[in-house]
Amino acid sequence: MEGGVNVADKAEFKECLRLTWTQPYILQLVLSAGISGLLFGYDTGVISGALLYIRDDFAAVEKSTVLRETIVSMAVAGAIVGAALGGWMNDKFGRRPSIIIADALFFGGALIMAFSPTPTVIIVGRVFVGLGVGMASMTAPLYISEASPARIRGALVSTNGLLITGGQFLAYLINLAFTKVPGTWRWMLGIAGLPALVQFILMLMLPESPRWLYRKGRKEEASEILRKIYPANEVEQEIDAMRQSVEEEVLLEGSIGEHGLIGKLRKALGSKVVRRGLMAGVIVQVAQQFVGINTVMYYSPTIVQLAGFASNNTAMALSLITSGLNAIGSVVSMFFVDRTGRRRLMLISLVGIVVWLAVLGGTFLGAAHHAPPISYVETRLFANQTQTCPEFNPSVSWSCVNCLKAASTCGFCAHQGDKASPCLALNDASRRTCRADQREFYTEGCPNNFGWLALIGLGAYIVSYSPGMGTVPWIVNSEIYPLRFRGICGGIAAVANWVSNLIVTQTFLSLTKALGTSATFFLFCGVSFLALVVVFFTVPETKGLQFEEVERMLERKDYKPWKRYQGVSDVEPAKNSEVGLTAP
């Protein structure tokens, strides 16, 4: 409860189910705002499958790794701008209008992509979709957080993460459904406009965040919303707590003279509480991306092909498994985030991520060492029907790995899996000739006996990531800032998340080409270990603390992120109850 008795540390998921059953208006607010997470997840998942067919339709995309990365990452670039605008719009116009505008941008972007005549127009559509996703990514958790009772706030904000993973799973299902339909990728990308339209309509019928309304002087509206959210015996207590909290913040803002975005930013960074909170919030958002998750989400079918499964349909079907595991992990997070704690869940998650990225790196290393050789005899036989790889020199020993790394882009026409086979130029004629001989044409990874081990490692990586680093960073950022700076700080953290996402997304395929798949996963493993250390020493536990208690914790003179504070009050720090270290 906002400002009331602290019972959040005892909350379990059954409490969330009970309260949403007795107070269904909470569920209506959460699910309607959570569609933003569904859009986020759908866009992440759908492009990974659609990219396989965009490659087939546009030769330029097939031959250019950078163009493929750009098609994927331009949505991320748009999201950076959207998140920055979203932070300002949240404070200026409210949470609800920000979500509505995000829906309109997403819907427009989906239509542009569906009717794109060229890769350039696809990129334009991706920018519009990214703008919408960026605004929604930091607004929806904020809206849900401010409309939720504190004791189940973590579980309800986690529904946004669940809907993100659910959107990814739905995207893979839709990708599979449209594989045999003319205009395959156009349907995959265009149908994303439907949930955006649904949310647009729903948000027109829902209220603004009660805390934002109260700050804007619309006190009766805020009170009416709280009466729908809380049981009757708690309403007056919640209204009074919110009144005291907001009035204190307004008085403080008046005393420090905040005016405009630059003035608020200057005052925010001048506050020790905000600096400590912002450091933790930005670090978990950057870590969420630099552990490499969006290499899996945006390029999952491509990674499956790198593991040795050449067929588009097979790659998407197997990617569905990883997406399903991601969704299951989000459900696990909802059960444990209010019981285990935000910090502990992230640290456990990072340990698993480090282990399984090392396993993936080792698996791809073994696959590269056992890549089948290039057959000079068979390459000569195919030369009469198609073009051989220009770089191939019969006097030099080549394997499938060398063939796929060729500068002019070549493919491996596999004969009985791991047998010596020809290296051909990458074009439609080569692909048709190879498949006509009942062979598989490999363009991303080589046939090997390690593919299933790579899939197991990929699944375990997702299971480690999803319950902790997948959902918790957004929860931490919805709780760790003072209300008067929550919009601008949330915007900064969301921008940090999307910039990190852009860096990873725009470089992954290029890294696999330059370093090799194995070295790329070992690189992410090293970065994840660094993230584990940094998170341990900089991110505090916010489980069970009210917004005001989090603020008082961050301003303590003896503040240490690895200590667990419970029931933080205004008394001297020595009198506050503390328990020992929060174990990872």
Side-chain angles (χ1 to χ4, degrees):
M1 293 180 293
E2 197 65 57
V5 178
N6 179 15
V7 296
D9 56 336
K10 300 178 182 179
E12 297 186 14
F13 188 65
K14 63 181 181 180
E15 172 68 8
C16 177
L17 294 177
R18 185 196 68 79
L19 194 56
T20 52
W21 179 261
T22 57
Q23 301 292 124
Y25 192 66
I26 298 173
L27 197 60
Q28 182 183 349
L29 290 174
V30 169
L31 293 181
S32 297
I35 294 176
S36 294
L38 187 75
L39 294 173
F40 185 172
Y42 186 88
D43 176 69
T44 303
V46 75
I47 194 61
S48 63
L51 190 62
L52 302 182
Y53 294 93
I54 294 172
R55 260 170 34 191
D56 291 344
D57 278 4
F58 299 106
V61 178
E62 177 73 87
K63 292 181 177 293
S64 174
T65 297
V66 174
L67 185 54
R68 273 182 273 163
E69 288 172 331
T70 302
I71 289 173
V72 173
S73 64
M74 278 303 100
V76 181
I80 294 171
V81 179
L85 289 174
W88 171 74
M89 290 178 62
N90 268 295
D91 285 344
K92 182 71 174 178
F93 304 111
R95 293 31 166 162
R96 176 173 164 268
S98 298
I99 294 176
I100 290 172
I101 293 170
D103 289 329
L105 289 167
F106 196 101
F107 183 76
L111 291 182
I112 291 171
M113 290 188 294
F115 294 100
S116 298
T118 66
T120 302
V121 179
I122 295 176
I123 291 171
V124 172
R126 295 284 294 160
V127 171
F128 273 87
V129 164
L131 287 168
V133 167
M135 283 186 186
S137 70
M138 57 84 57
T139 304
L142 194 58
Y143 182 89
I144 294 170
S145 175
E146 293 182 350
S148 302
R151 63 180 177 273
I152 60 170
R153 187 174 64 226
L156 291 179
V157 175
S158 291
T159 60
N160 188 64
L162 174 62
L163 287 168
I164 290 174
T165 56
Q168 291 165 347
F169 187 75
L170 177 64
Y172 285 118
L173 285 177
I174 289 176
N175 282 350
L176 283 172
F178 284 111
T179 53
K180 302 298 183 182
V181 177
T184 305
W185 60 270
R186 298 182 186 277
W187 285 102
M188 294 175 180
L189 297 175
I191 204 169
L194 291 180
L197 182 62
V198 170
Q199 187 181 44
F200 183 92
I201 295 170
L202 287 174
M203 293 306 297
L204 290 175
M205 298 183 289
L206 289 176
E208 181 53 78
S209 158
R211 288 182 68 94
W212 186 89
L213 287 172
Y214 204 96
R215 280 182 55 81
K216 296 299 180 180
R218 297 158 66 177
K219 300 178 182 179
E220 188 54 40
E221 290 180 62
S223 300
E224 285 299 316
I225 296 166
L226 290 178
R227 290 188 179 96
K228 295 180 180 180
I229 294 175
Y230 290 94
N233 61 326
E234 298 179 5
V235 171
E236 294 306 320
Q237 180 185 8
E238 290 303 321
I239 293 174
D240 186 60
M242 184 174 65
R243 177 186 61 77
Q244 292 182 36
S245 172
V246 173
E247 286 180 356
E248 288 174 4
E249 289 164 351
V250 170
L251 286 173
L252 178 58
E253 289 176 8
S255 67
I256 63 179
E258 297 175 3
H259 297 289
L261 180 63
I262 301 300
K264 179 170 282 192
L265 180 61
R266 186 184 300 114
K267 293 299 181 183
L269 296 178
S271 165
K272 177 175 66 176
V273 171
V274 175
R275 288 197 305 272
R276 285 173 170 176
L278 193 59
M279 180 174 65
V282 168
I283 282 172
V284 295
Q285 293 287 34
V286 171
Q288 184 190 65
Q289 297 303 319
F290 276 7
V291 299
I293 184 58
N294 277 321
T295 64
V296 177
M297 292 297 104
Y298 285 129
Y299 298 111
S300 183
T302 301
I303 293 174
V304 171
Q305 290 183 333
L306 288 168
F309 299 91
S311 165
N312 284 354
N313 288 353
T314 301
M316 286 200 298
L318 292 175
S319 297
L320 190 64
I321 297 173
T322 62
S323 179
L325 290 172
N326 198 21
I328 292 170
S330 296
V331 175
V332 172
S333 176
M334 293 175 67
F335 275 95
F336 289 102
V337 70
D338 277 328
R339 182 165 53 188
T340 304
R342 287 73 158 132
R343 172 186 162 88
R344 181 178 298 178
L345 210 51
M346 283 191 292
L347 293 174
I348 293 171
S349 177
L350 282 166
V351 170
I353 287 169
V354 170
V355 169
W356 289 109
L357 282 175
V359 170
L360 279 169
T363 300
F364 281 107
L365 182 63
H369 284 167
H370 292 82
I374 301 299
S375 168
Y376 173 61
V377 174
E378 288 206 356
T379 300
R380 286 188 62 189
L381 290 175
F382 274 84
N384 297 325
Q385 306 170 56
T386 185
Q387 181 184 359
T388 59
C389 182
E391 283 86 0
F392 177 61
N393 184 348
S395 63
V396 179
S397 178
W398 259 29
S399 72
C400 171
V401 173
N402 302 112
C403 175
L404 300 188
K405 284 186 175 181
S408 57
T409 61
C410 300
F412 183 75
C413 184
H415 174 55
Q416 296 182 0
D418 59 353
K419 303 296 183 182
S421 302
C423 181
L424 309 177
L426 184 57
N427 54 48
D428 289 339
S430 297
R431 190 180 280 109
R432 285 194 303 267
T433 303
C434 178
R435 290 173 178 167
D437 197 34
Q438 304 302 310
R439 298 172 180 239
E440 199 70 73
F441 196 66
Y442 288 78
T443 60
E444 296 294 339
C446 297
N448 63 81
N449 296 321
F450 294 82
W452 289 104
L453 181 57
L455 289 179
I456 291 171
L458 200 61
Y461 165 79
I462 292 292
V463 168
S464 299
Y465 171 87
S466 184
M469 292 305 295
T471 56
V472 177
W474 297 104
I475 298 173
V476 169
N477 274 276
S478 71
E479 296 176 333
I480 205 165
Y481 309 120
L483 179 61
R484 59 193 176 279
F485 297 122
R486 196 167 298 151
I488 191 168
C489 290
I492 291 171
V495 169
N497 181 288
W498 286 111
V499 169
S500 306
N501 188 335
L502 178 62
I503 293 169
V504 171
T505 307
Q506 185 65 45
T507 59
F508 175 67
L509 293 180
S510 295
L511 284 172
T512 61
K513 293 292 183 184
L515 304 178
T517 308
S518 174
T520 301
F521 278 104
F522 279 132
L523 176 63
F524 281 118
C525 177
V527 171
S528 299
F529 179 77
L530 179 62
L532 171 64
V533 174
V534 173
V535 167
F536 182 87
F537 285 106
T538 60
V539 180
E541 180 59 75
T542 58
K543 183 193 81 167
L545 300 179
Q546 313 302 320
F547 292 130
E548 294 78 11
E549 291 176 326
V550 171
E551 184 173 352
R552 289 195 287 270
M553 174 186 69
L554 293 174
E555 69 183 359
R556 291 171 60 120
K557 292 181 179 179
D558 66 339
Y559 167 74
K560 296 289 187 296
W562 53 88
K563 288 185 178 180
R564 176 75 174 105
Y565 300 93
Q566 291 181 333
V568 181
S569 67
D570 286 324
V571 298
E572 289 296 319
K575 298 180 182 180
N576 284 336
S577 62
E578 282 183 31
V579 297
L581 295 179
T582 301

